[in-house]
Amino acid sequence: MSVNGKYTIVSGDTFYEIAKRFGVDISAIQNVNPSVKPESLQVGQVIDLPGPSGSRGLSHQPPPASTYTINSGDTFDAIAKRLDTDVPHIQSLNPEVAPESLQVGQIINIPSGPPAHHHHHHHIKPARPQPPIEGYTYFSGPTHKFPHPNTWAPYEHLISINERLMLLNSSPTEVFYIKKWIPIIAYESGVDARVILCIIMQESGGNVRNPTTLSPAPDFVKNTGLMQAHNGQEWDESYPEWCVERMIRDGAQGTRFGDGLIQCFHKWDRNWYHACRAYNSGRVNREDLSDGITATGHYVERVANRLIGNQWAGM
């Protein structure tokens, strides 16, 4: 039930379903409810609803600078280094939080600026104002300014909205193979099936015949297949299902020439956004995931939009 910008949780509610019902972004709901855990909604709980500025297609307001949502692998030490502060400063703002028992999705307080004794810190260039794109949300900065994995759309929903795009370039049988092998390889590799699907859509649009590309000099690495994997499997009309399986395995599990998503995940803080950044550019600027280094700047932003189920022209 919604009254004056408030909503009362009913049985079966998720942030995803509420966002669909009111035509707003999941991230906008999360931003106006920084202390609410999306995975622990209770019937009868009252949450805030975003105003017009949170409507789908408009740039969302970032979460308050004084809070941070715990991600997989986070520690106070890692957070302190990322924010150019120190552990005692974070502990002083969170006296009731046990650093050794951090939970994914937990909200903690962080300093609004670096402590006075810090003289050197990284500055993130402010993003240039972007024109609104219907169905698209702009994200930049570190991980906590991107949608939390608990707010990602269900895999079945993501498949349903992306299948029509795959069918523009791949046959129904070829799309069937893609849909068949994503969950199998996700289970075997440990890569979230939604991440695999969204990387496929970002790299090739689900086109099994996606052309091989070469990385710029001096590497000249071949990027192949559905996931543009490092010197991976290329399309062969004679073995369609085998090629689809191999292409997805190459992207998720890596090849003997280069890392896949799971290697990037473990190397870069066990964080899927960091893994996506590393998969695209080989390195990660933790302070600004829109820093493509030598690759595509908006890559992680696009993947994040896909993960929350956004749909926009030209996706």
Side-chain angles (χ1 to χ4, degrees):
M1 180 175 65
S2 172
V3 179
N4 295 329
K6 302 285 186 181
Y7 178 80
T8 303
I9 300 298
V10 298
S11 179
D13 269 343
T14 64
F15 271 13
Y16 172 72
E17 293 296 335
I18 296 167
K20 279 204 307 182
R21 193 174 308 147
F22 291 97
V24 299
D25 286 319
I26 296 174
S27 55
I29 295 178
Q30 191 174 17
N31 291 342
V32 297
N33 296 279
S35 62
V36 175
K37 294 182 178 180
E39 72 278 13
S40 303
L41 298 178
Q42 302 293 320
V43 172
Q45 182 178 1
V46 178
I47 65 170
D48 293 314
L49 292 176
S53 63
S55 298
R56 185 175 296 278
L58 298 180
S59 298
H60 79 298
Q61 296 297 315
S66 59
T67 63
Y68 175 81
T69 303
I70 298 298
N71 292 288
S72 177
D74 270 343
T75 64
F76 271 13
D77 182 60
I79 296 167
K81 289 178 180 176
R82 199 173 307 149
L83 300 176
D84 196 26
T85 185
D86 51 39
V87 172
H89 197 177
I90 294 178
Q91 286 178 316
S92 70
L93 297 173
N94 299 276
E96 298 179 357
V97 175
E100 70 279 6
S101 303
L102 298 178
Q103 302 293 318
V104 172
Q106 182 178 359
I107 306 291
I108 65 169
N109 297 314
I110 59 173
S112 57
H117 64 271
H118 277 246
H119 299 294
H120 303 286
H121 55 276
H122 298 289
H123 291 279
I124 301 173
K125 292 189 294 184
R128 289 184 300 173
Q130 300 281 1
I133 298 175
E134 184 176 357
Y136 189 87
T137 305
Y138 291 106
F139 301 106
S140 63
T143 294
H144 73 269
K145 293 192 174 182
F146 284 71
H148 190 277
N150 288 333
T151 67
W152 294 353
Y155 175 72
E156 293 76 13
H157 176 72
L158 294 180
I159 278 287
S160 70
I161 64 176
N162 284 290
E163 184 171 5
R164 62 180 178 81
L165 300 176
M166 296 185 201
L167 289 169
L168 295 175
N169 295 294
S170 299
S171 72
T173 300
E174 292 157 356
V175 172
F176 171 80
Y177 294 148
I178 295 172
K179 292 165 59 180
K180 170 185 174 180
W181 282 103
I182 287 176
I184 294 173
I185 294 169
Y187 176 79
E188 293 176 354
S189 67
V191 180
D192 191 306
R194 296 169 295 182
V195 174
I196 295 177
L197 171 61
C198 291
I199 293 296
I200 287 174
M201 299 310 298
Q202 181 62 32
E203 293 286 359
S204 68
N207 179 5
V208 296
R209 296 167 184 79
N210 196 50
T212 295
T213 60
L214 285 177
S215 298
D219 299 325
F220 296 113
V221 172
K222 280 203 314 182
N223 303 303
T224 59
L226 284 167
M227 300 180 72
Q228 293 289 278
H230 192 132
N231 280 342
Q233 178 63 44
E234 297 180 87
W235 178 249
D236 185 337
E237 298 282 354
S238 302
Y239 307 97
E241 182 172 6
W242 184 85
C243 284
V244 168
E245 177 194 353
R246 190 71 260 164
M247 288 174 178
I248 298 174
R249 286 196 185 279
D250 288 346
Q253 298 175 315
T255 69
R256 63 191 181 94
F257 300 101
D259 290 343
L261 287 167
I262 194 62
Q263 288 85 9
C264 294
F265 176 73
H266 287 293
K267 286 182 179 180
W268 292 96
D269 314 311
R270 297 179 60 82
N271 179 301
W272 286 122
Y273 289 124
H274 290 182
C276 292
R277 179 74 278 167
Y279 186 80
N280 175 245
S281 57
R283 298 185 297 281
V284 179
N285 175 356
R286 293 180 176 88
E287 298 300 320
D288 186 7
L289 295 179
S290 294
D291 179 1
I293 306 174
T294 59
T296 308
H298 60 238
Y299 188 88
V300 182
E301 176 184 272
R302 291 284 176 90
V303 173
N305 272 271
R306 296 180 190 280
L307 285 165
I308 60 176
N310 277 354
Q311 300 179 68
W312 65 96
M315 67 180 289

